[in-house]
Structure formats: C-alpha cells, structure tokens
Amino acid sequence: MTAEEEGSWRDTLFVWDGILTIHDGEVKDTTTTPKETSISWEGTWVGCDNCADAKKAEAPKRGVFDAFVDSDMHFLVEGTATKLNPNDDDDDNGPKKSIVAATNVHRAPYQATLLKGDGWDLQEGKTKSKHKDTVHNVLFSNLEWSGNLRDQRNNLVFAKGTNDHGSFISAGWMRPGNRVTLGRRYLEDKDSRMNWTLEELKTAVLGGILKEGKKIRLPPWQCAALHAVEQDTASNGKKRKHDGEKKDEISKQ
C-alpha cells in the first residue's frame, strides 16, 4: 500500500451508532476502590467516504422503527466504566450500595474501557470478519441519558484507542434512549493527536464546536480536531500561529 493510498482510507470517518446498556450496576463497591459499572455498546457503523474534512460527515439516519442505523457492519463492545468522582453519590450513611439506591446515580462523568464483546465487523460478503480494539478508552459525560437538550455539553462522549489498523480518536454524543453516536478518525503514525489524553481531546473538540452561550455544533465530530490531516491547532482548542505569522511579528518588533 502506497503512502497516497494509505492516506486515502483515513479520509473516511467511521460513524458508530448504538445503544449503551448498563448491566449489573456497580461491580465493585468499597471506600478505597473507584466503583466500576459493567456496560455494553451495541449497534452498527457506517463510513463517510471522502470526509477528510470532518465537517462534511453528517450523523447517519435511522428508521423510526429500526433499532440501529441500516448497515451490515455490526458491533458489540463490552467493558467497565469507572466514575471519575466516586464520592459524588455518597451520603451520611456511606456509599450507595447499588444503582437502585439513588436516582440518576449514573448521570455523572465516567471513564470506560471497552475491549470485550464480539468486536466489530469489517469487509463484506465472504471476506467479512470480526475485529477488536486493543485499546479503547471512552470518556462519558453521563452513562444515562440526561434528558437535557438545552445544554448538550452534558451529553458529549470522547474516545481514543488502537487496533490492527492504527490509532484513532472519536467524538460524539449521547442521545435519547441512551443512544451513543461517535465519529471515529484513524490517524497517521506521526500524528500528534494519538498522544492526546481524553481531556485534551475533549478540550480540542469543545474549542471547535462551542457557539454562543451553552450551544454546541452537532454532530460534535464536525471540527478541526477530527479532520483527517492534523491541523495546526493546539489541544486547548486555540489556533497556533504559523511560522510565517511568527516571523511577521518578530519583524515588527
């Protein structure tokens, strides 16, 4: 595969859309260990070809009575999610013992690892096969749909990982019905975005989608941080100055 051909397939933005399910509640519950929650995410993915510019990639449409977006590419990934602020749902009697013990206990930031399950489909017909990520870390603003459509920042989801095809970053959001939609972008080997933390990815995406007040552009992957070619944009969402601009400033001093 030539460098030109290798770059072309990365122009495809892969949009994963499916239902996030909370299974057996908190599987760990101590005062010293962060609580873990068993989760799975199942659905289908579609590719947006020729979407090197992430702003060209729209969210896939789904039939009113369809569980998933119409696609032969299925995925089922499973793992655990850890609440980032595990003491938020404690009370005077100590930590809550189950998700039933408090309303909205999962409406808080979680970081998840999704490496188990069937994985995801690739190719078609007789060449269709299952694949799995070797790293897939996800930052959820909530594990349960918040019901808040006014401030969609509370519904954002970010991810990064690696597999046999390379490193990737993802951005998206949770929608009614606990439906999570993520746009996945594979990166070149020397792309510095592969070294971003989830928080740095979040900052870069927010820098590109925030509008006036609390409004954000949807879908969240429609920003420079998710373009195929790395942009001259810092992970804090601020535009870096090009060398030419820096020289102009120096010459004026």
Side-chain angles (χ1 to χ4, degrees):
M1 181 179 288
T2 67
E4 183 178 356
E5 290 172 335
E6 187 176 2
S8 64
W9 75 266
R10 289 189 174 89
D11 289 348
T12 300
L13 188 79
F14 300 90
V15 182
W16 292 39
D17 179 85
I19 302 299
L20 181 72
T21 302
I22 300 171
H23 291 288
D24 53 2
E26 284 135 8
V27 297
K28 288 185 180 180
D29 190 4
T30 71
T31 58
T32 58
T33 304
K35 300 171 184 177
E36 293 184 352
T37 299
S38 178
I39 62 174
S40 67
W41 182 33
E42 181 178 13
T44 55
W45 66 262
V46 295
C48 178
D49 297 330
N50 301 316
C51 282
D53 182 344
K55 294 180 181 179
K56 295 181 179 179
E58 299 292 341
K61 304 297 182 182
R62 178 177 57 88
V64 177
F65 300 104
D66 295 334
F68 304 129
V69 171
D70 185 18
S71 171
D72 292 332
M73 300 294 105
H74 176 263
F75 70 84
L76 172 59
V77 291
E78 302 171 347
T80 56
T82 302
K83 185 177 288 188
L84 295 182
N85 300 301
N87 295 322
D88 283 354
D89 56 322
D90 291 357
D91 58 19
D92 294 338
N93 298 318
K96 306 295 185 190
K97 296 303 179 184
S98 73
I99 62 172
V100 181
T103 304
N104 303 336
V105 70
H106 285 129
R107 292 181 184 173
Y110 278 77
Q111 183 164 324
T113 300
L114 297 174
L115 298 178
K116 299 180 180 179
D118 296 341
W120 40 274
D121 292 332
L122 190 63
Q123 304 296 337
E124 298 178 355
K126 294 182 179 179
T127 60
K128 189 175 184 178
S129 57
K130 290 287 186 183
H131 297 258
K132 289 189 175 183
D133 299 321
T134 52
V135 176
H136 191 190
N137 298 322
V138 188
L139 179 63
F140 291 98
S141 298
N142 294 283
L143 282 189
E144 288 183 325
W145 165 242
S146 67
N148 186 353
L149 289 173
R150 292 185 177 181
D151 188 354
Q152 292 275 14
R153 294 176 301 174
N154 293 324
N155 303 321
L156 293 174
V157 184
F158 307 92
K160 60 174 295 186
T162 58
N163 54 45
D164 291 341
H165 304 283
S167 299
F168 62 85
I169 55 175
S170 306
W173 80 118
M174 179 178 285
R175 299 193 275 173
N178 251 41
R179 178 172 298 277
V180 173
T181 308
L182 286 182
R184 174 182 288 201
R185 174 70 75 190
Y186 284 92
L187 307 174
E188 295 284 353
D189 292 339
K190 295 182 180 181
D191 195 311
S192 66
R193 289 174 292 179
M194 64 190 298
N195 298 317
W196 281 356
T197 65
L198 287 171
E199 285 294 335
E200 288 173 332
L201 172 61
K202 174 182 176 180
T203 299
V205 171
L206 282 173
I209 65 174
L210 278 176
K211 298 181 180 180
E212 295 181 3
K214 299 179 180 179
K215 295 183 179 181
I216 60 175
R217 180 189 300 115
L218 295 175
W221 58 75
Q222 290 186 346
C223 62
L226 270 291
H227 286 345
V229 177
E230 184 176 10
Q231 304 297 297
D232 193 17
T233 304
S235 61
N236 61 6
K238 296 180 180 179
K239 185 75 174 179
R240 291 194 184 122
K241 293 186 176 73
H242 293 288
D243 291 339
E245 293 174 316
K246 292 179 181 177
K247 290 179 182 178
D248 290 340
E249 287 187 0
I250 294 174
S251 63
K252 294 176 181 178
Q253 293 178 355

